Amino acid sequence: MATARLNRNNRLPPEVTRILYVRNLPFNISAEEMYEIFGRFGAVRQIRQGSNKETRGTAYVVYEDIYDAKTAVEHLSGFNVANRYLIVLYYNHNKHSKKLSTKDKEEELLKMQEKYGVDAEQHPQKPKSKSAA
């Protein structure tokens, strides 16, 4: 922490955030153990551990200070916990957001075309005439 505080005047790379994405955690690690490991590098605001089949062994760690998060990444990447080497990365929203399937993208595109009155070739659609009753 002391080294990070001395380097506060240095400019950080754009990928550095207060939020860390941690992979390869032991499935049975407790919240207390997580706070103990990550709290050594600064004040931790929140830890969210994966709980379902796809997210087990992962967690998001949110630090109060971006420099503490940077120090944690530098020291905990490759750290051995219960014979598992941690993978600690900066959280990247674009990378972690769910990717839409092609079918979902096509459906979204059709809805937008209808909403804005544009056909598939980007020409305005003719207004539908209402027939007299």
Side-chain angles (χ1 to χ4, degrees), residues 34-80:
M34 292 283 294
Y35 276 98
E36 182 182 326
I37 292 168
F38 287 91
R40 288 188 284 171
F41 301 100
V44 174
R45 177 177 287 184
Q46 183 180 58
I47 294 179
R48 293 275 177 113
Q49 288 181 261
S51 58
N52 65 22
K53 187 175 181 178
E54 290 85 28
T55 60
R56 284 183 63 183
T58 65
Y60 292 97
V61 179
V62 182
Y63 278 92
E64 293 287 339
D65 186 57
I66 195 168
Y67 291 96
D68 294 339
K70 184 177 184 294
T71 304
V73 168
E74 291 169 354
H75 289 88
L76 291 177
S77 291
F79 186 74
N80 190 329

Side-chain angles (χ1 to χ4, degrees), residues 12 16 32 87 95 131:
L12 293 173
V16 176
E32 293 79 24
I87 300 168
K95 197 176 199 180
S131 59

Side-chain angles (χ1 to χ4, degrees), residues 81-127:
V81 177
N83 292 325
R84 296 181 70 112
Y85 294 97
L86 298 183
I87 300 168
V88 184
L89 307 166
Y90 295 109
Y91 173 73
N92 181 342
H93 175 71
N94 297 332
K95 197 176 199 180
H96 290 86
S97 62
K98 280 201 164 200
K99 295 181 180 176
L100 295 175
S101 68
T102 305
K103 183 179 177 185
D104 292 339
K105 287 181 184 178
E106 287 175 0
E107 288 175 7
E108 184 179 340
L109 181 61
L110 287 174
K111 287 179 186 176
M112 291 194 62
Q113 287 174 346
E114 288 176 16
K115 179 179 179 182
Y116 294 106
V118 178
D119 65 11
E121 295 181 15
Q122 305 301 317
H123 298 108
Q125 293 179 345
K126 295 177 184 174

